[in-house]
Amino acid sequence: MTELAHDAIEALLDQLADRSARVGVIGLGYVGLPLAAVAGRAGFAVTGFDIDPAKAERLNRAQSYIDAVASDQLAALISAERFEATDDFARLADCDVVAICVPTPLTRQREPDLSFVEATARTIALTLRPGQLIVLESTTYPGTTREVVKPILEAGGLVSGREFLLAYSPEREDPGNAAFETRSIPKVIAGDGPLAARAAEAFYGAVVDRVARVSTLDTAEAVKITENVFRAVNIALVNELKMVFDRMGVDVWEVIEAAKTKPFGYMPFYPGPGLGGHCIPIDPFYLTWKSREYDMPTRFIELAGEINLAMPRYVIGRLEAALDRRLSKSLGSARILIVGLSYKPNIADVRESPTLKLMALLEERGASVAFHDPHVGAIPPTREHAAFAGRRSAPLALETLRTHDAVLIATDHDDIDYALIAREATLIVDTRNAFGRRGLVGEQIVKA
């Protein structure tokens, strides 16, 4: 290590200790904006970067679009000169720590799409200087930081662990969960070498309550994949049990409620119309793809993925049967109101929402489809369902319910008038047990 590089790294460690380091966060979405806010509240000056200039302008006016960061909190950080947003990536040169919080979606062939990570790494490389700490937070397969990000950053001549520092720390955001916030969720970290690990631990130790350090970058990446595979597999299990128990005339939700009274050896997971969000429907496929390099099939994970991907079609089948049996009406001639567009309750996040797949399948069959969601006024642009962009939420009113043949509960928001739906809807297909949990019963309610 050159004397200049050594001095720059020691200077970074000093700046992290006294909070004088400037933090850059690339990608101001559900992961990046909360990280930027918690770093600002910890005393760091933060520059947020996003390719969308409209986002930067909105944030600089203290108008947050993420529930986890209130607009008044954003205003306080801006007033204290602890946060600003920009689309000028040349300003990365001013940042001592740079966190990469960009999407890692799947291709149509369900293979990893690292284009956002690669493009971001190339952008950072243009201004990379000695003493900077670069941290990848995007969820990905083991080996990404080392095999993809590191070579791009080193292409300019600086060496990881000597001139600049490279680390990985997987995001752990849970939108809508009031029990946890960014600061209270422990952060797993690993560095490319001891200096990088030390710097990453110093940074995250300043902004969150607890840091868990692991030995290698690949291990830290595997931690996040493991967390999401665990949920995907267990959700697939209860989805399959739901289909089996339905044939047997057994209510899977009643089974789960009784099973969770056991104080050991059981953890409740709940079925639904499919998987949504930015992690669980996607991340297991990153591991199955990478495992092929080692001639190791991941049959268990792939089976879980198949079950979860099949759930929207199962729900459509239940809806079709209910329409035929109860109303003597075909699916293709039916008017369907879907309640709940977001992928989980009480948030506005529609990423990978199974409701979008349900809408697409219903319209393919000829049904007329509307949706109601108190958190989503209009459908935002999405990669898979671009044609739905701009469609607006229908009011949950008597006229709406009476002019639709069936109501399909896809997401069980708390602020829905379920009593009104139970009283006025001709047919209800409930994929979340929203009515059963509220003690609402009726012949027109079908669980799916």
Side-chain angles (χ1 to χ4, degrees), residues 12 15-16 19-25 44-49 81-84 91-98 129 132-133 203:
L12 171 64
Q15 290 172 311
L16 291 171
R19 310 290 203 275
S20 62
R22 176 167 286 276
V23 176
V25 178
F44 292 102
V46 180
T47 303
F49 296 86
E81 298 184 346
R82 298 263 178 83
F83 177 80
E84 60 176 326
R91 294 180 59 188
L92 285 168
D94 302 328
C95 297
D96 305 295
V97 177
V98 178
R129 57 172 171 79
Q132 281 185 308
L133 169 64
F203 168 60

Side-chain angles (χ1 to χ4, degrees), residues 7-10 16 31 227 285 298 373:
D7 290 346
I9 290 174
E10 288 299 322
L16 291 171
V31 173
E227 294 168 0
F285 290 103
T298 51
D373 193 308

Side-chain angles (χ1 to χ4, degrees), residues 130-189:
Q132 281 185 308
L133 169 64
I134 313 300
V135 187
L136 178 63
E137 286 216 358
S138 305
T139 306
T140 185
Y141 59 81
T144 302
T145 310
R146 179 173 47 82
E147 298 171 354
V148 177
V149 177
K150 182 177 176 178
I152 294 173
L153 296 179
E154 289 187 330
L158 298 181
V159 178
S160 173
R162 287 173 46 188
E163 283 86 16
F164 73 95
L165 304 175
L166 180 62
Y168 182 79
S169 180
E171 58 88 4
R172 275 177 163 172
E173 291 295 323
D174 189 13
N177 189 341
F180 298 100
E181 59 178 4
T182 304
R183 183 173 186 89
S184 64
I185 302 171
K187 285 286 283 180
V188 172
I189 66 101

